[in-house]
Amino acid sequence: MTTTPPAVFAERLAAVAYRSGVYQLPDGRTLDWYGDPHRLAGDPELLAETAAALADLLPVGTEVLAGPALAGVPLVTAVSLHTGLPAVFLRPAPKDHGTWQQIEGADLKGCRAVLLDDTARSGASLLRSARLLALGRDFPELRLRGPNKSC
């Protein structure tokens, strides 16, 4: 449970991660500011506090955490460390080398997963991740089998 008042937490988060200036989105649209997840991940104290705040919001019965690579990995890992829940990581496409997997990490089959993302704008990335997560639950052979944790 977090003890920092929400307004103070929001101010600290903005001081670290808020970036002004033109930022181009993958779809070509631009913003005049954005929240930089890499700056958040680079501040261990704030990342831990963010993980605790997100952990407080997880639905009862959550069995595994999921997040998109790349920027979502530190956030999901931090929440995983805080809660002790296993984690999976979702790539935009299967790797073209190594394991050739698109979903990596803990065993996902049949688990109740919560998808965490570092940002949400149009929702397109979250929708892609949610579809992949649903596939991984039904077809575990599509991903690398990680540490055994049955759900």
Side-chain angles (χ1 to χ4, degrees):
M1 177 169 231
T2 59
T3 57
T4 304
V8 174
F9 175 65
E11 287 175 16
R12 290 185 55 232
L13 190 57
V16 169
Y18 175 85
R19 294 185 73 163
S20 61
V22 177
Y23 175 74
Q24 186 168 342
L25 298 171
D27 66 5
R29 292 180 298 143
T30 59
L31 303 173
D32 54 4
W33 71 272
Y34 85 111
D36 188 339
H38 303 288
R39 286 188 175 182
L40 171 61
D43 185 320
E45 185 178 306
L46 188 57
L47 182 59
E49 190 171 348
T50 302
L54 288 171
D56 289 346
L57 300 174
L58 292 174
V60 173
T62 299
E63 297 170 314
V64 66
L65 304 170
L70 166 75
V73 171
L75 184 62
V76 172
T77 301
V79 177
S80 176
L81 287 168
H82 183 81
T83 62
L85 292 170
V88 297
F89 305 100
L90 313 169
R91 297 178 185 280
K95 285 175 61 173
D96 63 357
H97 63 283
T99 63
W100 301 83
Q101 302 302 310
Q102 192 166 3
I103 302 174
E104 308 241 23
D107 192 0
L108 182 58
K109 186 175 181 179
C111 294
R112 183 171 182 213
V114 170
L115 179 61
L116 300 174
D117 199 356
D118 59 305
T119 58
R121 289 185 177 70
S122 69
S125 174
L126 283 171
L127 184 56
R128 266 193 313 276
S129 292
R131 287 180 179 146
L132 181 59
L133 191 57
L135 280 175
R137 289 188 59 208
D138 293 338
F139 305 105
E141 68 276 4
L142 294 177
R143 49 162 257 347
L144 175 68
R145 293 198 194 305
N148 251 350
K149 172 141 181 148
S150 58
C151 298

